[in-house]
Amino acid sequence: MSSTANGTTFPAGSFDAAISRVGLIYFPDQQRALAGIRHALREGGRFAAVVYSTPDRNPFFALPVGIIRRRAQLPPPLPGQPGPFSLGGEGVLQRTLEQAGFRDVRVQKVDSPLRVPTAAECVRFERESFGALLQMMSGMGDDERAATWAEIESTLAQFETAEAGFVGPCEMLVGSGTR
């Protein structure tokens, strides 16, 4: 038996370790994805996932998401729906990994502030790196998108100082487990 990722087939037990860096949160069926990862790991193999914690601990990303949702008139995500904070609640990542059959599950909070020279640089980074934000704006016209990015930059300016530049609060969870 084999598992697949991106159309590639992997034999059972073919990896010593696997890592998901801010990816697991977007899988529509996280348990199916984890089952495939677990299957591809050898017995005793390790899996680790890095995910965002909660919106209140990640305003550099949560504030833009909120602005876009409001301006695009998008409803809030449903519970259990994939998204940036879908595994960030207390105990959610641990339960998800344990439900997938991983043992010795550990979850650690890691303070991970985003440091760039300016709020404008943070917006550039978000525009280039976070396809989910662009997808959320897909129904907007060019002028509305530009106004939305301007509001995001203005809002994120609260995290910029002359001394430190832009320091966007961010907290990640690093969860790991053994097959």
Side-chain angles (χ1 to χ4, degrees):
M1 182 168 210
S2 61
S3 59
T4 62
N6 296 331
T8 304
T9 301
F10 298 107
S14 57
F15 290 92
D16 294 329
I19 300 171
S20 170
R21 186 182 63 85
V22 193
L24 184 60
I25 54 180
Y26 293 111
F27 281 97
D29 187 342
Q30 293 168 343
Q31 285 301 311
R32 183 173 175 215
L34 288 168
I37 292 166
R38 190 173 175 280
H39 177 79
L41 290 172
R42 67 167 172 75
E43 190 60 37
R46 301 278 296 158
F47 172 68
V50 179
V51 304
Y52 293 108
S53 67
T54 56
D56 62 305
R57 303 290 296 164
N58 291 280
F60 92 96
F61 192 48
L63 289 170
V65 167
I67 290 167
I68 294 168
R69 279 197 183 287
R70 176 178 46 78
R71 292 183 76 112
Q73 299 179 356
L74 298 172
L78 299 171
Q81 207 173 19
F85 308 109
S86 63
L87 295 172
E90 193 64 41
V92 175
L93 180 58
Q94 177 149 350
R95 284 190 304 275
T96 299
L97 295 176
E98 288 172 346
Q99 183 181 346
F102 288 98
R103 303 181 326 266
D104 305 318
V105 174
R106 293 188 177 95
V107 176
Q108 179 180 356
K109 293 178 181 177
V110 179
D111 189 35
S112 307
L114 176 65
R115 298 177 191 276
V116 292
T118 64
E121 184 65 19
C122 178
V123 169
R124 185 190 66 73
F125 168 71
E126 289 182 351
R127 287 178 81 153
E128 292 176 359
S129 303
F130 297 124
L133 298 180
L134 300 176
Q135 185 177 20
M136 291 171 66
M137 294 164 109
S138 64
M140 295 180 178
D142 291 343
D143 291 344
E144 183 62 19
R145 270 195 302 276
T148 300
W149 286 118
E151 182 180 346
I152 290 169
E153 183 176 334
S154 172
T155 301
L156 292 180
Q158 67 185 293
F159 303 115
E160 183 179 326
T161 65
E163 303 80 40
F166 180 89
V167 182
C170 176
E171 180 181 81
M172 306 301 287
L173 301 178
V174 179
S176 64
T178 304
R179 178 177 193 281

